[in-house]
Amino acid sequence: MPDTRRIDERDINSAIERVAQNILERHARTDRLFILGIANGGIEFARRLTARIPQASLGTLDISFHRDDIGQNPIPKEFMPTQIDGDIDGATVVLADDVLFSGRTVKAALDELFDHGRPSKVELAVLVDRGGRKLPFVPDYCGLSIQTADTEKVIVKLDAKSAAQDEIIVRSAS
């Protein structure tokens, strides 16, 4: 299956740096800032953002039980459980995910988040916004905007051990 488009580690690192800088500028004086990676794709993105934002606390959200397609797509064997180290009541939370498409993942993440408390503000950071929304979500922070067809798949590979191995591939889904 031929790749339609490929984005390399330099462009990915620049996008992550831009998102982190925008979050840092907006929240320079925010006392309780949580960056929660949506499992599984958003976890490494959230880790890299948090590494660049000293006052932010890193966490993860497992949305498995909030997905609206759970009957069609069973919960994967490997998952990252929700982990939030601290009280999110009244805090500012940035949800982080690798790709924003239909918006269903964001909805599930909000459902999971509010199971754990009531933050004062929730924002959304995505590495790639590919358009095609089915629900009314717009990212507050976006690294890359890529227009894709519904028949294409966006594959984000963020290597936890070596950013030099990072890549984004856009290819035909069939």
Side-chain angles (χ1 to χ4, degrees), residues 67-96:
R67 291 180 13 202
D68 62 3
D69 64 348
I70 196 165
Q72 298 158 351
N73 297 307
I75 298 169
K77 289 181 181 176
E78 295 178 22
F79 70 99
M80 177 66 70
T82 294
Q83 181 177 347
I84 303 171
D85 294 330
D87 183 10
I88 62 166
D89 286 333
T92 298
V93 173
V94 178
L95 299 176

Side-chain angles (χ1 to χ4, degrees), residues 25-43:
E25 287 172 9
R26 188 177 291 176
H27 295 291
R29 299 193 191 315
T30 301
D31 290 332
R32 293 176 38 232
L33 177 65
F34 290 83
I35 298 180
L36 304 180
I38 300 172
N40 284 326
I43 295 173

